[in-house]
Amino acid sequence: MPRGFLRSPAIFLFAALLILSTARCAAWVVGSAAATTQGTVAIDGAAIISTTDENFICATLDWWPPEKCDYGTCAWGLASILNLDLSSPILLNAIKAFSPLKLRLGGSLQDKILYGTADLEQPCRPFIKNDSEMFGFSEGCLPLSRWDQLNEFFRESGATIIFGLNALNGRVSMSDGSLGGSWNYTNAASLIRYTVNKGYTISGWELGNELSGTGVGTRVSADQYAADVNSLKSIVDEIYQGLQFKPLVLAPGGFFDANWFHELISKTSPSSLDVITHHIYNLGPGVDPHLVEKILDPSYLDGEASTFSSLRGILKSAGSSTVAWVGEAGGAYNSGHHLVTDAFVFSFWYLDQLGMSSLYDTKTYCRQSLVGGNYGLLNTTTFKPNPDYYSALLWHRLMGPKVLSTTFSGTRKIRAYAHCARDSRGITLLLLNLDINSAVQVHVNTMTVHTRAPRHRKGASRIRFGDTRRAPVSKAAEVTREEYHLTAMSGNPHSQTMLLNGNILNLNPSGGIPGLEPVRVDGSQPINVSPFSIVFVQIPDFDAPACA
């Protein structure tokens, strides 16, 4: 501390408040009963290793009717694109808080939905439960009146919309059990034309849902799919001709199959496919009793890195301008698991996925779902935010699109990711402590990296270090580091109540999203990460030339 620093009463008071704040923070962050270990996170601020879209966070809306049930539980209620209550101020405020939030409209029934445009030669009927049909439902229909309501809501909320089109119209059964024949795009083109004529803004049109590889329900060959993507591109170019804005073309919205995806990329025309989308449900079925064990197992979490790495390799080797998105990810399929995929513990899986995917040039990550099932960011009936909503919002507000190489030395139970900070100087560091018993004091270092390969293996990126040193901070930085500590109510992993810096996150009386305020901590001290907690840390004076 410089000579004369405490001679100013104002500075003395500020310093005293900082010490008290830090002491209070330490009291609830570390806890008296927790064992404490040491660790070091090293961040290379000299170079960007990948980038995301400016708005990386995305959520989905699905088509499932209330009769959709899994393992005896019907978790969808009135959360369908067709019946969601668009008048709810809580729902509106939850979307507006992102300014903007990407929304992907699609799901399993996407390839069974017709559009009530003038070309439709049959009545526009809702989905009807029918166990003999694929996915247990008949064909359904989107009335244009509902499409108008949805677009008015999207305009008011400021959401960015990706719409998934039915890719099965016109298909015929093939001898190998797949569906073939050219896509009949008449009804889809009619919806796109209606949308443009009404002046609605759709940022992307996605072809099909989970028809890649072995498919879910059925499948389509990559060769045929590539031809259909080319057709969709031609339709979009024709209908949007002369307009300043032209939407993205996305496909296939399915599970990653390296050979299938490689063939799709190689056979689509240049510039036809803007975004290649894949889905992630790597935890298995929602009924699995070992979901929490998987979520808290670093080795299990590392497993998904191979998908991101393989897809990036396919795009790079093809010299393609196509970029990768995660188009749908709910972790556990068949609607998730109540009090796991909609509880605090799931933020470890979700935020780790965001951090890991961003290392591999994933541009957008769409969470299944915004509302609906047992994995919604919002409660299905009340729209009250579940813990992952706040995790997503903090990521959106704090983590910028520039990704930095990061490694952690110490316990394998710490997951660490760093990005250039959003809308401020320096960096934002994300720390996930999967250990339910031990706190960790984390020291932050800079590093000089000779060889960089962002690849998860045994919990750490494969990085060779030339030099690591304690991150230099200015005198001002000693009082400007900001921390956001997320914990579960009573430390219960199944709690649906999240605490930020020890304070319960609740909607305000008007249904608005609460302020997400940090604690300010002495920047020269290590970061205290309590057991089973998540910390976002903004370090404005971290030495990161790449973020300048």
Side-chain angles (χ1 to χ4, degrees):
M1 187 175 293
R3 181 184 297 273
F5 180 81
L6 295 180
R7 289 181 181 173
S8 165
I11 295 178
F12 179 86
L13 177 59
F14 181 79
L17 289 172
L18 176 65
I19 292 168
L20 286 172
S21 174
T22 303
R24 286 182 62 210
C25 176
W28 55 260
V29 169
V30 176
S32 59
T36 302
T37 62
Q38 303 293 316
T40 300
V41 62
I43 303 164
D44 178 19
I48 298 163
I49 61 170
S50 66
T51 60
T52 70
D53 282 348
E54 188 70 27
N55 297 305
F56 179 61
I57 298 294
C58 168
T60 67
L61 290 174
D62 214 307
W63 293 100
W64 289 120
E67 296 81 11
K68 159 66 172 171
C69 304
D70 301 281
Y71 318 117
T73 300
C74 306
W76 284 88
L78 299 179
S80 166
I81 296 165
L82 294 173
N83 58 30
L84 184 67
D85 181 6
L86 303 178
S87 67
S88 167
I90 298 176
L91 177 63
L92 180 64
N93 290 335
I95 297 173
K96 290 177 72 171
F98 283 83
S99 300
L101 176 63
K102 284 179 182 170
L103 290 177
R104 179 253 184 181
L105 278 60
S108 297
L109 296 182
Q110 166 183 329
D111 294 309
K112 304 194 72 169
I113 193 83
L114 302 174
Y115 318 115
T117 52
D119 68 288
L120 186 65
E121 297 178 352
Q122 63 188 67
C124 189
R125 296 192 177 100
F127 291 110
I128 302 296
K129 182 67 177 171
N130 185 340
D131 292 335
S132 66
E133 294 260 6
M134 186 172 69
F135 303 125
F137 288 90
S138 68
E139 280 188 335
C141 182
L142 171 64
L144 292 183
S145 59
R146 179 61 174 179
W147 187 230
D148 293 338
Q149 294 168 2
L150 286 162
N151 277 279
E152 174 57 27
F153 177 77
F154 299 149
R155 184 199 61 77
E156 185 178 3
S157 66
T160 299
I161 304 303
I162 307 298
F163 187 86
L165 295 165
N166 181 342
L168 292 186
N169 275 340
R171 306 294 186 185
V172 295
S173 296
M174 308 297 286
S175 59
D176 63 358
S178 67
L179 292 181
S182 298
W183 173 48
N184 182 342
Y185 52 75
T186 303
N187 193 221
S190 185
L191 178 69
I192 296 172
R193 187 169 285 106
Y194 176 87
T195 300
V196 170
N197 289 341
K198 295 285 285 190
Y200 301 147
T201 300
I202 300 298
S203 294
W205 298 97
E206 184 179 30
L207 183 63
N209 184 82
E210 297 179 355
L211 302 171
S212 57
T214 58
V216 178
T218 190
R219 67 186 190 276
V220 175
S221 72
D223 179 69
Q224 180 60 59
Y225 221 95
D228 298 331
V229 168
N230 293 335
S231 295
L232 176 57
K233 175 64 173 176
S234 296
I235 293 164
V236 168
D237 285 347
E238 176 195 343
I239 295 175
Y240 284 84
Q241 186 176 10
L243 299 180
Q244 187 173 5
F245 171 79
K246 188 170 290 186
L248 300 171
V249 170
L250 306 88
F255 290 101
F256 179 71
D257 178 294
N259 293 331
W260 196 99
F261 273 57
H262 182 273
E263 186 176 356
L264 177 69
I265 287 293
S266 65
K267 292 185 175 179
T268 50
S269 301
S271 303
S272 285
L273 183 61
D274 298 302
V275 180
I276 193 165
T277 50
H278 65 107
H279 294 180
I280 296 176
Y281 287 88
N282 62 319
L283 297 174
V287 74
D288 187 342
H290 303 292
L291 290 176
V292 173
E293 295 171 36
K294 293 178 179 179
I295 292 166
L296 300 180
D297 180 352
S299 296
Y300 196 92
L301 294 178
D302 289 344
E304 196 60 30
S306 62
T307 297
F308 299 123
S309 178
S310 296
L311 181 52
R312 183 182 62 174
I314 289 170
L315 296 176
K316 185 175 181 180
S317 64
S320 174
S321 61
T322 303
V323 299
W325 287 18
V326 173
E328 180 183 314
Y333 58 82
N334 290 342
S335 304
H337 189 114
H338 182 45
L339 299 183
V340 175
T341 53
D342 55 3
F344 180 84
V345 68
F346 207 52
S347 276
F348 291 104
W349 177 86
Y350 179 38
L351 288 172
D352 191 69
Q353 278 281 299
L354 296 181
M356 183 188 297
S357 63
S358 67
L359 290 172
Y360 296 92
D361 280 316
T362 302
K363 301 304 182 184
T364 291
Y365 193 106
C366 298
R367 166 64 181 268
Q368 172 84 342
S369 61
L370 176 65
V371 56
N374 288 315
Y375 36 38
L377 297 179
L378 306 176
N379 181 278
T380 300
T381 55
T382 67
F383 301 131
K384 177 182 176 181
N386 286 322
D388 281 2
Y389 173 86
Y390 294 112
S391 295
L393 187 56
L394 280 170
W395 177 290
H396 178 75
R397 291 180 177 179
L398 301 176
M399 305 287 275
K402 297 177 180 179
V403 185
L404 303 174
S405 181
T406 307
T407 191
F408 183 83
S409 301
T411 171
R412 293 190 65 246
K413 289 287 191 174
I414 287 285
R415 315 284 285 183
Y417 300 97
H419 289 214
C420 295
R422 179 184 292 272
D423 301 329
S424 66
R425 294 181 298 114
I427 68 165
T428 301
L429 171 64
L430 170 62
L431 298 167
L432 312 173
N433 187 359
L434 308 179
D435 196 318
I436 62 174
N437 296 312
S438 296
V440 183
Q441 287 193 326
V442 178
H443 301 267
V444 181
N445 286 358
T446 61
M447 66 181 176
T448 301
V449 181
H450 295 320
T451 302
R452 212 178 280 106
R455 176 180 174 185
H456 276 65
R457 185 178 181 183
K458 294 185 178 179
S461 299
R462 296 178 62 192
I463 298 174
R464 298 177 186 174
F465 300 95
D467 172 58
T468 62
R469 62 193 187 279
R470 188 63 51 84
V473 292
S474 70
K475 295 171 183 176
E478 293 183 4
V479 293
T480 54
R481 188 175 82 201
E482 296 182 340
E483 298 181 358
Y484 302 76
H485 293 258
L486 301 175
T487 53
M489 173 70 82
S490 304
N492 179 5
H494 301 287
S495 175
Q496 292 185 289
T497 300
M498 178 177 270
L499 280 64
L500 172 60
N501 298 328
N503 300 308
I504 294 174
L505 290 170
N506 275 326
L507 297 173
N508 64 36
S510 62
I513 303 302
L516 304 178
E517 299 299 328
V519 290
R520 290 169 175 80
V521 180
D522 183 343
S524 67
Q525 298 302 307
I527 301 164
N528 292 309
V529 187
S530 66
F532 201 65
S533 74
I534 297 162
V535 189
F536 287 91
V537 187
Q538 275 204 316
I539 310 174
D541 283 81
F542 187 89
D543 183 20
C547 301

